[in-house]
């Protein structure tokens, strides 16, 4: 089981992780949380209705990672459009973003928090020299799957990976390349994600 998720009887998944792997995933999830930022209710904790009526941003984020995590809903870079069509797409995207981005951010925050909490729940007694076995319920498995996808999108954005061809080049990076550690994390998370998908398939 080392490094790969396996199905649990009755649903859910399990994976053996060592101390370093636990630390890496937790650190990446914390960084993702910091990047996504707090929710509206965290900004105005005294107003219980703030989150319900809060509108999201209308402009796409400036950070390229957040742009990847929260893309425009109505723009297609593959399809050239007239200035009028482009303006309409921007307007539609702004409206869609205004009413959906807060919920999308909340979902990604919840998934990242689920990863952190499940790793923190591994008691020190269960983490020996070989690490620990993380066991996830079906719901936690879905949250992990979403969080792993977000982490890979974030790292892929930093590495400027846009297609499969870019991804193939990563395997040929020399060890002295400063991107190598990030590439290794990207590929490793991809393997975890793939095996977790396999456990969730009927």
């Amino acid at each position: 089981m080392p490094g790969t998720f396996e199905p649990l009887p009755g649903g859910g998944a399990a994976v053996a992780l060592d101390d370093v792997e636990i630390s890496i995933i937790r650190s990446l999830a914390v960084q993702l949380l910091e990047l996504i930022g707090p929710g509206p209710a965290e900004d105005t904790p005294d107003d219980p209705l703030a989150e319900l009526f809060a509108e999201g941003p209308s402009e796409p984020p400036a950070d390229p990672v957040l742009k990847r995590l929260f893309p425009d809903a109505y723009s297609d870079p593959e399809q050239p459009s007239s200035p009028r069509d482009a303006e309409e797409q921007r307007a539609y995207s702004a409206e869609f973003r205004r009413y959906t981005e807060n919920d999308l951010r909340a979902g990604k925050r919840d998934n990242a928090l689920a990863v952190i909490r499940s790793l923190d729940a591994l008691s020190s007694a269960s983490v020996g020299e070989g690490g620990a076995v993380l066991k996830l319920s079906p719901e936690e498995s879905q949250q992990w799957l979403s969080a792993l996808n977000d982490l890979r999108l974030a790292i892929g954005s930093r590495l400027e990976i846009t297609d499969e061809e870019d991804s193939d080049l990563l395997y040929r990076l020399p060890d002295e390349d400063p991107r190598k550690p990030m590439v290794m994390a990207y590929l490793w998370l991809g393997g975890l994600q793939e095996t977790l998908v396999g456990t969730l398939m009927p």
Side-chain angles (χ1 to χ4, degrees):
M1 185 195 305
T4 62
F5 277 99
E6 293 186 0
L8 288 173
V15 62
L17 299 170
D18 63 30
D19 288 346
V20 173
E21 292 168 334
I22 291 168
S23 176
I24 289 171
I25 296 173
R26 192 185 188 285
S27 174
L28 290 172
V30 168
Q31 290 176 55
L32 182 64
L33 273 178
E34 292 171 349
L35 186 63
I36 293 170
E42 296 172 64
D43 292 333
T44 53
D46 296 331
D47 185 356
L49 297 178
E51 187 170 4
L52 182 62
F53 294 105
E55 289 187 0
S58 58
E59 294 298 320
D63 188 291
V65 173
L66 290 176
K67 274 187 181 178
R68 189 85 172 267
L69 292 173
F70 305 102
D72 274 338
Y74 292 94
S75 64
D76 185 357
E78 301 295 321
Q79 294 291 330
S81 56
S82 68
R84 181 178 176 182
D85 289 341
E87 186 61 36
E88 283 185 356
Q89 286 179 349
R90 279 193 293 272
Y92 291 145
S93 291
E95 193 72 2
F96 185 82
R97 188 180 294 278
R98 182 177 294 118
Y99 295 110
T100 62
E101 187 165 314
N102 281 344
D103 286 342
L104 290 174
R105 284 179 182 256
K108 292 182 186 298
R109 266 193 302 273
D110 289 345
N111 294 332
L113 278 170
V115 168
I116 293 168
R117 287 170 179 153
S118 59
L119 292 175
D120 288 348
L122 291 174
S123 68
S124 57
S126 69
V127 181
E129 286 186 15
V133 175
L134 176 70
K135 295 181 179 180
L136 303 174
S137 68
E139 181 183 357
E140 289 170 332
S141 296
Q142 291 288 351
Q143 289 180 300
W144 263 75
L145 187 60
S146 297
L148 287 172
N149 186 62
D150 287 341
L151 290 174
R152 291 192 78 241
L153 284 174
I155 295 173
S157 179
R158 292 291 188 229
L159 292 171
E160 299 180 346
I161 298 171
T162 57
D163 55 33
E164 196 63 36
E165 192 173 310
D166 291 337
S167 186
D168 290 341
L169 293 174
L170 299 180
Y171 290 96
R172 298 194 291 274
L173 279 181
D175 289 342
E176 60 272 15
D177 192 300
R179 296 170 295 170
K180 190 74 171 188
M182 198 181 298
V183 166
M184 297 303 293
Y186 177 82
L187 297 174
W188 173 57
L189 292 174
L192 282 177
Q193 184 181 12
E194 185 177 348
T195 60
L196 183 52
V197 168
T199 70
L200 299 174
M201 293 177 67

